[in-house]
Amino acid sequence: MKYKIDITERVLHFKQPAGTSRGIYTTRKSWFLKLTSPEMPDRCGVGECAPLPDLSCDFTPEYAKTLRALCDKFEQEGIIDYAVMRPYPSMLFGLETALAHFNAGSTAFFDTAFSRSEAGIPVNGLVWMGSYDEMLGRMEDKIEQGFHCIKLKIGAIDFDMELDLLRRIRERFSHREMTIRLDANGAFTFDEALYKLELLSQYAVHSIEQPIAARQWGNMAELCRESPLPIALDEELIGVNVTDMKAHLLNIIKPAYIVLKPSLHGGMRGVEEWVSAARAHDTGSWITSALESNVGLNAIAQLTARIYGDSIRVPQGLGTGLLFEDNIDRPIELRKDELWYCPNS
C-alpha cells in the first residue's frame, strides 16, 4: 500500500511546571504524523513523536530532518524498517502509532477489554517535584482524587523534608491501603545511595526508580543486591535497543522492576521485547508515559492493555492526561485511579 505522511510541530503548555531532578518543564514540543493513503482515502492515522531534549537518545538539533527522512523511507517501502529505526525510539513510536491508528480505523488499536470500554487500567498518582508545601498539596490532591498508589519525584528538595512527606502518608495509610513509589531520576550519588535507601525503606516504599545516574552497571547491580527496598530501572534502559543486550543488562543488574516508556525504550516493539526479557528474568514491569499529549497517551494505554491482558492489577504510569492546557482530544478519561477508554463520552 502507498502511504503519505505529513508532519506538524506543536508546542504544548503545562498547566503547572513539571519538576524533575533534571529540571523544570513548562512547555513540551511534539511532532505529529498524519498518515494517509490514496487507496483508502477515508482513513488516516495520527502518531506523536515526543522526545525529551535532555533525555531521549534520538533527540538532536537535526531531529525534524531525521524524522522527515525516516518517514520518506516508510513512504517508499510501505513498511517500518526496524533495523534502521531502533536508534530512534520516539520517531519509531510515532510511526507505529500512526500505522496502528490507520490499520484499526479508530483510536481503539487492539481488541482488549480496555478498548471495548469494559475495564479500566489502574494508574499511579504522580506528585511532581516542587517546594515542600507544593509537594504536600499535590500529594493531598492525589489522595482526595482517590489514588491508591502515589508516586513522588524526589531528589530536588531537602532529603529530610522528603522523608517527612512519606511519614505523613504512612501516619494515615498502611502499605496495604496506599502504595508509595519513588522516582529519584538518578539524583543520588553512589556513596550516599544505600544510606538514603535504608532511611526510605522505613516507610514501606514499594520501589524506587533509578536512584543513581545511568551507565553505572556495577554500582547499580550492587545497590540492587544490597538495597532494603526494590529498585526499578528507567533511564538505565535508554539506548539499549538490541534484544540480546536487554537480556544482558537484566542479567547483570538484576533489578526488581523495569519502568518502560515507548518514546524512550524502543517504541511499541521495543517495549514488548523488554517485557518479554523481564518475564524471563523474573523481573516485574509496568509502562508509563513520557509526557506525551493524549495522542501518545492513548497509544500507550492501548499497548499496555495488549501486553498485560484484560485484568491489569499493577498500577501503570498513565495518569498524565490532564497535564496540558492545550491537550489534544482523545476518548480517554481518568476515573479516580483508573484510565478508561470512552469513545461515546
Side-chain angles (χ1 to χ4, degrees):
M1 183 176 290
K2 295 293 185 181
Y3 297 103
K4 182 178 184 299
I5 296 178
D6 294 315
I7 303 174
T8 303
E9 292 184 24
R10 180 165 174 172
V11 176
L12 303 172
H13 299 82
F14 285 91
K15 293 178 180 178
Q16 297 178 340
T20 76
S21 60
R22 291 183 302 273
I24 298 174
Y25 296 104
T26 57
T27 61
R28 179 78 162 94
K29 180 185 283 189
S30 289
W31 284 258
F32 291 90
L33 311 182
K34 182 179 180 181
L35 187 151
T36 57
S37 172
E39 298 172 42
M40 300 183 71
D42 295 331
R43 281 197 182 189
C44 77
V46 177
E48 179 179 6
C49 304
L52 291 168
D54 56 351
L55 191 60
S56 298
C57 63
D58 56 355
F59 185 81
T60 70
E62 299 294 313
Y63 186 90
K65 182 178 179 180
T66 302
L67 177 60
R68 182 68 263 174
L70 291 171
C71 288
D72 289 344
K73 179 177 173 61
F74 174 80
E75 289 179 347
Q76 294 165 9
E77 299 176 356
I79 58 171
I80 297 175
D81 188 337
Y82 282 94
V84 171
M85 293 202 69
R86 278 183 182 274
Y88 308 99
S90 66
M91 302 182 200
L92 174 57
F93 179 55
L95 185 53
E96 287 174 317
T97 298
L99 188 59
H101 186 188
F102 182 90
N103 289 337
S106 78
T107 52
F109 298 165
F110 315 113
D111 184 21
T112 64
F114 174 74
S115 68
R116 295 191 299 271
S117 304
E118 297 171 359
I121 298 175
V123 301
N124 59 235
L126 179 59
V127 177
W128 291 102
M129 286 180 177
S131 68
Y132 175 87
D133 290 337
E134 288 171 338
M135 292 184 70
L136 179 61
R138 292 166 187 168
M139 187 174 74
E140 291 293 340
D141 288 343
K142 297 302 178 184
I143 293 171
E144 289 181 9
Q145 290 167 25
F147 286 94
H148 293 90
C149 179
I150 302 293
K151 175 180 173 180
L152 288 89
K153 296 271 190 178
I154 64 170
I157 64 173
D158 181 79
F159 185 67
D160 288 335
M161 290 185 176
E162 293 172 337
L163 291 176
D164 189 66
L165 290 173
L166 302 184
R167 179 186 60 79
R168 284 175 173 264
I169 297 177
R170 281 292 170 251
E171 285 178 345
R172 296 165 58 186
F173 304 100
S174 73
H175 70 279
R176 295 182 182 86
E177 298 169 307
M178 181 69 70
T179 298
I180 299 175
R181 290 176 177 167
L182 303 175
D183 185 359
N185 288 127
F188 302 161
T189 66
F190 174 68
D191 291 339
E192 70 183 358
L194 189 58
Y195 172 69
K196 288 189 172 182
L197 294 175
E198 289 172 350
L199 293 177
L200 293 168
S201 69
Q202 66 185 309
Y203 298 104
V205 172
H206 171 271
S207 57
I208 182 168
E209 294 177 36
Q210 207 68 41
I212 62 174
R215 305 298 179 263
Q216 303 179 68
W217 285 20
N219 289 343
M220 187 67 84
E222 182 176 337
L223 286 180
C224 287
R225 287 194 306 270
E226 302 296 332
S227 174
L229 62 87
I231 290 176
L233 302 184
D234 180 354
E235 288 91 341
E236 199 72 65
L237 312 178
I238 296 172
V240 182
N241 300 313
V242 179
T243 304
D244 290 345
M245 185 60 73
K246 295 174 183 179
H248 184 56
L249 180 151
L250 295 177
N251 189 51
I252 289 177
I253 299 180
K254 294 181 171 59
Y257 304 100
I258 57 174
V259 183
L260 299 163
K261 300 177 174 71
S263 290
L264 296 177
H265 301 135
M268 292 186 180
R269 178 172 290 189
V271 165
E272 290 174 329
E273 290 175 353
W274 273 117
V275 171
S276 177
R279 287 169 174 165
H281 287 78
D282 294 322
T283 300
S285 67
W286 61 87
I287 297 175
T288 182
S289 67
L291 307 183
E292 294 90 353
S293 76
N294 280 339
V295 172
L297 182 60
N298 175 67
I300 298 169
Q302 299 289 334
L303 175 67
T304 299
R306 186 177 76 172
I307 289 177
Y308 294 125
D310 289 346
S311 182
I312 302 174
R313 296 184 179 181
V314 176
Q316 309 292 306
L318 305 179
T320 56
L322 301 177
L323 286 177
F324 302 108
E325 294 178 349
D326 42 7
N327 212 329
I328 297 169
D329 287 338
R330 279 296 181 270
I332 49 176
E333 65 180 45
L334 204 57
R335 300 178 184 173
K336 292 188 176 179
D337 62 349
E338 290 189 333
L339 185 70
W340 284 76
Y341 181 74
C342 308
N344 297 320
S345 64

